[in-house]
Amino acid sequence: MNLYMGKMLVVDLSAKTVTTEPLRADWAREYWGAWGLALRYYTDAVSPEVDPLAPENVVVLMTAPLCGTLVPLASRMCLVSKSPHTGTIFESNVGGSFGPELKYAGYDGIIIKGRAEAPVFLKIDDDLVTIECAEHMTGQGIFETEKLMEAAMGAHGAKTLAIGPAAENMISYSMIGSESYRQFGRGGTGALFGSKNLKGVVCRGTGGVAVADMAKFLERTDHYTRNDLLCDDNLWAKTDGTPILVEVTNEMGIHPTRNYTKGFNGRKETLNSDAIQAAKLGNRACASCPMACGKFTRVNSAEIEGPEYETLCLGGSNCEIHDLEAVIRFNRLCDDLGLDTMTCGSTISLAMEMTENGVHNFNLRFGQVDEYLKVVYEIATLSTERGRDLAKGAKHLADKYGATDLSMEVKGLEMPAYEPRGNFGMGIAYATSERGACHLRAFPIFATDPHDIDALVTEVVNAQNANSIKWSLGFCDFWGTINTSIEADLMSTGLGEPVSAEELDQAGERIWNLSRLFNLATGFTAADDTLPKKIMERPLEAGPHEGRVFSRADLSRALQSYYELRDWSARGIPSSRKLATLGLDKTTL
Ligand code: SF4
């Protein structure tokens, strides 16, 4: 089977069994891979009411069709399940090399069911797949766990997924690490592994991925690499990486500072791309990527791959921590203990504001480094009362202490580092994302008019559809100029059968609507398509958008327009006409 391995690995941790089943070729033609295909498998496997941390829940890991080929920036793989942090459907994806390795071992994806009686890890050595004891790894951080699993494989260079103590404690925003510094970062993916007593997965594969016409495939890959990927619009990833956004977002006035009180950080020079370049040791790339956007940095004895923009802002500016060494230490703690830096930083900044406003004293203050670093360990290990409080995330913290006007989340997921009062498009993207506040579904920060609601709604809908298929084909976000025509050409050449841009466009819309159906079936409604009170009621301080709010009336108008454009009812429910067009009319969840 060209591009696909044609086989899924099915691991039942309760029954202690490992089996394989043929890949559903009919689903692959409608959902293509990674996000879409994992979503199709997941929605078939569970009831929407499932408790995310119960043995009945399932975790689907899925590679993409171009993953493991020489197509650049196409090696990302996805995890789909129900989030223990938000209760929504959740897709998270990771770069690096685990996806290609899994395909070289012979599998398109892994379906993980049940719960092991005691800690285990999964060892995949081509056809030989075993469930191994991981009791000696209990309590170990991600870095050490990956080394132990690699040693157990007895092969240097085996690829790993691992959790740390935060996930063993089932903290709802714990993550799964891969190759030390890459993560299935958001939504509590780590807690899903933790709930299954699964400490990690180690994989070694010695096979390859077949393509229909190798010479033509290489020619098309080379053509798009030279003529589309390696252009000025994308090369920032190679030269600067995401830290370039520190200057960009400050200039736009959308750089969250002091728990989203200001849209501008007056001390940004300590955290910007120049600061990262000055601390840079080298670059790091995912499989088959010429961009190598990862930057290894060191300040004094603090070392990390990163920090990426979201961490620089949410763990830096938004906590008013202007010390790059401190942000690197924060980043490293999160990466090793297994916490999502975005939710962790955002929850700490909320606790800082609550302390300074006299709501509750967490002994956390803006700009105060020692306690900021101490509390990360307390969260991951649940070792203090404030650690246990902050371990539940911003929504729970604000609800418990009556500070809902300060909490910055949508559907329970803490907001990314782009201020919606300065760009309404980001607000529309956060309010309508299936997994809560997310910048990876639509990213309209470069819109001509950041407050033109009608234009921004159209841009958000188009981007959500395009990104749904882009993630499903395994492409990295940083190939920003790719489109479904390029994707269709590469897929056609690799598969050896025609694939049209139109069917990929439709697949993107299908994935978005199926996600919506799942969330509706779990009990989410249009009322959950909203924004934090602070965004709607409290004027932004500092920067070019000082004094702005994204009012309830503006949001309501945006949502009405959004639902109409999607052919959803005024209550945000997809019409039967739309579902029939997408082949979802027979879908029962
Ligand atoms: S641009 Fe960066 S994140 Fe994307 S594939 Fe390349 S190295 Fe990985």
Side-chain angles (χ1 to χ4, degrees):
M1 193 176 183
N2 293 324
L3 297 184
Y4 296 90
M5 310 315 292
K7 200 163 56 179
M8 292 290 290
L9 195 59
V10 183
V11 179
D12 188 330
L13 294 168
S14 298
K16 301 180 187 157
T17 58
V18 178
T19 54
T20 61
E21 63 182 39
L23 182 75
R24 287 283 303 258
D26 52 339
W27 290 352
R29 189 69 198 197
E30 288 190 314
Y31 293 88
W32 298 99
W35 179 5
L37 195 50
L39 176 71
R40 187 65 187 87
Y41 269 92
Y42 182 74
T43 52
D44 190 62
V46 301
S47 155
E49 292 88 33
V50 70
D51 172 354
L53 300 180
E56 293 73 33
N57 193 22
V58 165
V59 174
V60 182
L61 294 164
M62 191 72 76
T63 64
L66 296 166
C67 170
T69 70
L70 286 176
V71 175
L73 281 79
S75 64
R76 297 191 81 83
M77 69 176 295
C78 286
L79 180 155
V80 167
S81 194
K82 188 173 175 180
S83 164
H85 194 59
T86 63
T88 62
I89 190 75
F90 212 93
E91 177 273 343
S92 180
N93 69 69
V94 71
S97 304
F98 189 93
E101 198 76 12
L102 185 62
K103 285 183 80 171
Y104 301 155
Y107 311 100
D108 292 298
I110 314 175
I111 299 169
I112 304 169
K113 305 175 174 180
R115 174 187 289 156
E117 287 166 7
V120 296
F121 70 98
L122 186 67
K123 189 171 161 203
I124 304 169
D125 192 357
D126 285 327
D127 288 343
L128 189 61
V129 184
T130 50
I131 300 170
E132 305 278 340
C133 173
E135 294 203 43
H136 58 299
M137 299 175 186
T138 302
Q140 296 287 353
I142 286 175
F143 302 159
E144 183 61 23
T145 302
E146 291 194 308
K147 277 188 208 152
L148 289 169
M149 285 196 296
E150 198 180 333
M153 179 65 90
H156 181 66
K159 306 304 177 206
T160 49
L161 303 175
I163 61 168
E168 290 175 39
N169 289 326
M170 285 185 259
I171 287 162
S172 66
Y173 55 94
S174 55
M175 55 73 172
I176 299 168
S178 183
E179 300 165 66
S180 298
Y181 302 114
R182 306 201 181 271
Q183 294 88 28
F184 285 113
R186 307 217 75 194
T189 59
L192 295 168
F193 269 28
S195 72
K196 297 192 172 306
N197 259 326
L198 181 62
K199 185 69 175 161
V201 184
V202 59
C203 179
R204 189 179 70 128
T206 56
V209 179
V211 298
D213 178 341
M214 181 59 84
K216 192 171 172 203
F217 189 68
L218 288 177
E219 183 272 313
R220 299 317 289 155
T221 299
D222 183 58
H223 171 79
Y224 291 121
T225 302
R226 288 174 192 273
N227 297 304
D228 193 83
L229 174 63
L230 299 177
C231 70
D232 288 347
D233 283 352
N234 299 322
L235 283 171
W236 60 268
K238 187 169 181 57
T239 54
D240 293 79
T242 60
I244 200 172
L245 288 166
V246 172
E247 288 293 342
V248 171
T249 54
N250 268 291
E251 197 171 311
M252 291 176 167
I254 59 169
H255 187 79
T257 301
R258 202 177 170 87
N259 195 32
Y260 296 84
T261 300
K262 306 174 189 172
F264 179 80
N265 178 3
R267 295 176 63 187
K268 61 184 166 43
E269 285 75 16
T270 59
L271 300 172
N272 67 8
S273 187
D274 288 345
I276 295 293
Q277 293 292 336
K280 191 174 107 173
L281 299 174
N283 291 48
R284 192 172 182 219
C286 301
S288 296
C289 179
M291 300 300 227
C293 75
K295 315 286 177 223
F296 267 112
T297 53
R298 184 196 293 148
V299 177
N300 298 321
S301 60
E303 197 174 300
I304 193 78
E305 184 194 330
E308 299 294 343
Y309 169 69
E310 300 295 332
T311 308
L312 288 165
C313 181
L314 298 176
S317 305
N318 212 31
C319 295
E320 295 201 324
I321 302 291
H322 305 297
D323 172 353
L324 182 57
E325 180 180 349
V327 178
I328 290 174
R329 290 192 188 284
F330 165 83
N331 197 158
R332 191 175 177 90
L333 278 169
C334 288
D335 283 5
D336 195 26
L337 295 167
L339 290 167
D340 167 17
T341 58
M342 292 173 67
T343 286
C344 192
S346 194
T347 306
I348 292 172
S349 68
L350 168 63
M352 287 172 165
E353 188 168 13
M354 288 167 71
T355 301
E356 298 210 352
N357 283 8
V359 176
H360 184 82
N361 185 6
F362 292 103
N363 193 23
L364 288 164
R365 292 180 180 278
F366 289 112
Q368 209 274 354
V369 169
D370 291 353
E371 295 298 319
Y372 151 86
L373 292 177
K374 255 170 73 182
V375 79
V376 178
Y377 182 80
E378 295 169 24
I379 292 168
T381 56
L382 301 174
S383 52
T384 61
E385 190 180 343
R386 75 171 177 181
R388 289 188 288 278
D389 266 348
L390 270 66
K392 294 194 171 117
K395 183 174 187 328
H396 282 85
L397 193 69
D399 285 349
K400 178 172 175 179
Y401 293 100
T404 52
D405 54 329
L406 304 180
S407 165
M408 306 305 291
E409 47 76 25
V410 175
K411 298 187 181 80
L413 189 67
E414 292 73 8
M415 288 198 337
Y418 312 90
E419 169 53 64
R421 284 165 290 192
N423 182 303
F424 286 178
M426 290 312 298
I428 297 163
Y430 296 164
T432 57
S433 158
E434 90 295 353
R435 67 176 200 173
C438 175
H439 61 297
L440 299 174
R441 305 319 193 214
F443 193 65
I445 70 165
F446 299 105
T448 314
D449 178 350
H451 299 104
D452 179 344
I453 288 177
D454 292 332
L456 288 163
V457 165
T458 304
E459 186 172 344
V460 167
V461 169
N462 290 341
Q464 288 171 341
N465 292 344
N467 284 331
S468 296
I469 188 62
K470 182 177 176 181
W471 293 124
S472 297
L473 296 172
F475 282 104
C476 172
D477 208 21
F478 301 156
W479 190 339
T481 53
I482 203 167
N483 55 47
T484 45
S485 297
I486 296 174
E487 292 162 358
D489 191 19
L490 289 169
M491 285 297 296
S492 302
T493 315
L495 272 179
E497 50 190 89
V499 177
S500 69
E502 290 70 30
E503 63 184 309
L504 294 182
D505 289 335
Q506 192 179 53
E509 199 179 359
R510 181 179 297 120
I511 292 160
W512 195 261
N513 278 271
L514 181 56
S515 299
R516 182 73 177 186
L517 291 179
F518 186 91
N519 279 348
L520 291 169
T522 66
F524 284 90
T525 68
D528 297 298
D529 297 338
T530 187
L531 288 171
K533 267 191 198 170
K534 199 182 209 180
I535 298 297
M536 297 191 288
E537 294 176 4
R538 193 160 133 190
L540 188 60
E541 295 175 21
H545 305 293
E546 188 173 353
R548 276 231 185 230
V549 295
F550 189 168
S551 70
R552 277 192 177 75
D554 280 340
L555 179 62
S556 172
R557 186 159 78 77
L559 288 174
Q560 190 185 350
S561 165
Y562 177 93
Y563 296 155
E564 276 171 18
L565 200 53
R566 283 217 168 273
D567 198 2
W568 293 359
S569 75
R571 293 191 296 133
I573 300 168
S575 71
S576 46
R577 179 182 50 239
K578 175 56 69 179
L579 295 180
T581 308
L582 298 172
L584 290 171
D585 46 335
K586 307 257 179 338
T587 302
T588 48
L589 292 169

